[in-house]
Amino acid sequence: MSSGELSAYSDEVRRVAERVSKARRVACLTGAGISAESGIPTFRGAQGFWAGRRAEELATPEAFARDPEDVWKFYFWRRGLLREKRPNAGHHALAAMEAKAAEFTLITQNVDDLHRLAGSRNVLEVHGNIWIDRCTGCGQEVRRTIEDHSDEIPWCGACGAMMRPGVVWFGEMLPDGVFERAQSAAGNCDVMFVVGTSSVVYPAASLGSWAKANGAFVVEVNPDDTPLSGVVDVRFPFASGAVLPAITNALSAIRELNRGSVSARGAG
Ligand code: OAD
């Protein structure tokens, strides 16, 4: 996308920034598209993340029960890919927006940890996190880091059972309570962003329309149309790495203006 195309949306950028500046609560749902500019392939694009290996083959409880070593190898490979990846301008812009907003909840379907690395604090990972090992026996979780990544199948230090990746697999329930918190954040916000998701995987895909039904101003950032596109208030058909920084910059400008007018009144 050229910056010229986004500059044709400067009114929309300002309008959204004004909404955010007045909002008491802001929520944002992200999907694989926000990490595309970090070099992580999306799930449903031509460069599909699972190219070469079918997700249904490996990311299931049945595959793990059948051959845990094969499934772990796949996750070690994915962790290895992610080690090289860094947050992009879109992730950083959302962390900056959180710092400026009164209350901000970031709901992500991504397991790549890039929002946290960018500095986002209030993050709900509805599909888990690839850096977590979770015990198949007692449920204890160990958060790995890029530094202590190893290719050895982990065993639980507490009960001795095999650990599994702490992500949601096909056919599994979402982690306890996390979706309820996401739904509450979406249903109680004034502005809701839906960024880089094809909006086809439920229940996460319901959050944008849930926010809209509860009176939020809904903004979609996605180069392609999605099933949600028809119901949003503003749609930016561009990459998140361009749109989100433009919105946070506009938000900073509004804040500066407001500060200026307050101090000018104070001086008079
Ligand atoms: P998808 O791969 O389905 O969709 C990615 C979306 O990002 C598409 O709509 C693209 O148009 C858009 N996109 C691509 N590049 C972009 C960019 N630079 N900026 C903004 N948007 C861009 O990924 P998700 O919607 O996240 O679940 O997929 C949802 C779930 O399906 C995943 O969490 C995963 C998968 O099954 C589990 O693993 C449980």
Side-chain angles (χ1 to χ4, degrees), residues 31-33 36-37 42-44 109-110 127 168 170 196-199 201 221-224 238-240:
E37 290 157 87
T42 59
F43 288 90
R44 291 175 181 80
Q109 299 166 87
N110 300 344
H127 291 166
V168 174
F170 287 92
T197 175
S198 54
S199 286
V201 176
V221 182
N222 195 318
D224 293 335
F238 306 114
S240 45

Side-chain angles (χ1 to χ4, degrees), residues 164-179:
R164 57 161 280 179
V167 298
V168 174
W169 282 329
F170 287 92
E172 284 190 318
M173 303 290 284
L174 302 192
D176 254 5
V178 176
F179 186 71

Side-chain angles (χ1 to χ4, degrees), residues 2 19-20 58 85 89 148 150 162 178 188 202 207 230 258 268:
S2 76
R19 287 280 183 160
V20 173
L58 291 155
K85 308 301 181 195
D148 76 357
S150 120
M162 187 185 274
V178 176
N188 287 300
Y202 282 78
L207 293 172
N258 290 347

Side-chain angles (χ1 to χ4, degrees), residues 120-142:
S120 286
R121 302 240 166 272
N122 192 20
V123 183
L124 296 176
E125 294 170 319
V126 290
H127 291 166
N129 186 302
I130 200 166
W131 295 103
I132 289 175
D133 296 342
R134 191 169 69 240
C135 179
T136 55
C138 67
Q140 173 160 292
E141 292 190 345
V142 176

Side-chain angles (χ1 to χ4, degrees), residues 49-60:
F49 193 82
W50 308 98
R53 304 288 315 249
R54 288 178 54 230
E56 298 78 4
E57 216 183 287
L58 291 155
T60 69

Side-chain angles (χ1 to χ4, degrees), residues 41-261:
T42 59
F43 288 90
R44 291 175 181 80
Q47 298 287 305
F49 193 82
W50 308 98
R53 304 288 315 249
R54 288 178 54 230
E56 298 78 4
E57 216 183 287
L58 291 155
T60 69
E62 293 77 23
F64 190 74
R66 202 165 44 238
D67 190 346
E69 203 172 318
D70 190 41
V71 173
W72 262 119
K73 268 192 204 145
F74 175 61
Y75 280 90
F76 292 146
W77 172 73
R78 286 183 59 185
R79 284 181 179 178
L81 287 183
L82 289 174
R83 284 173 79 178
E84 319 293 326
K85 308 301 181 195
R86 293 293 169 268
N88 64 56
H91 297 105
H92 287 299
L94 289 178
M97 201 186 291
E98 179 173 358
K100 292 179 209 297
E103 195 181 313
F104 189 96
T105 307
L106 182 53
I107 306 155
T108 189
Q109 299 166 87
N110 300 344
V111 299
D112 58 27
D113 218 19
L114 293 185
H115 284 301
R116 254 187 249 276
L117 283 175
S120 286
R121 302 240 166 272
N122 192 20
V123 183
L124 296 176
E125 294 170 319
V126 290
H127 291 166
N129 186 302
I130 200 166
W131 295 103
I132 289 175
D133 296 342
R134 191 169 69 240
C135 179
T136 55
C138 67
Q140 173 160 292
E141 292 190 345
V142 176
R143 184 177 272 269
R144 303 267 160 218
T145 61
I146 287 171
E147 289 73 34
D148 76 357
H149 166 70
S150 120
D151 282 1
E152 297 281 320
I153 291 186
W155 296 84
C156 180
C159 77
M162 187 185 274
M163 311 283 275
R164 57 161 280 179
V167 298
V168 174
W169 282 329
F170 287 92
E172 284 190 318
M173 303 290 284
L174 302 192
D176 254 5
V178 176
F179 186 71
E180 288 70 15
R181 287 164 63 202
Q183 202 172 31
S184 160
N188 287 300
C189 69
D190 307 298
V191 180
M192 171 95 190
F193 289 90
V194 180
V195 180
T197 175
S198 54
S199 286
V200 294
V201 176
Y202 282 78
S206 65
L207 293 172
S209 27
W210 178 246
K212 180 75 188 156
N214 282 280
F217 185 80
V218 182
V219 180
E220 183 175 53
V221 182
N222 195 318
D224 293 335
D225 272 331
T226 74
L228 185 71
S229 302
V231 305
V232 301
D233 294 285
V234 175
R235 178 174 151 64
F236 292 100
F238 306 114
S240 45
V243 176
L244 296 173
I247 293 170
T248 38
N249 287 342
L251 183 58
S252 301
I254 291 168
R255 288 282 150 87
E256 278 306 308
L257 260 179
N258 290 347
R259 254 197 295 278
S261 64

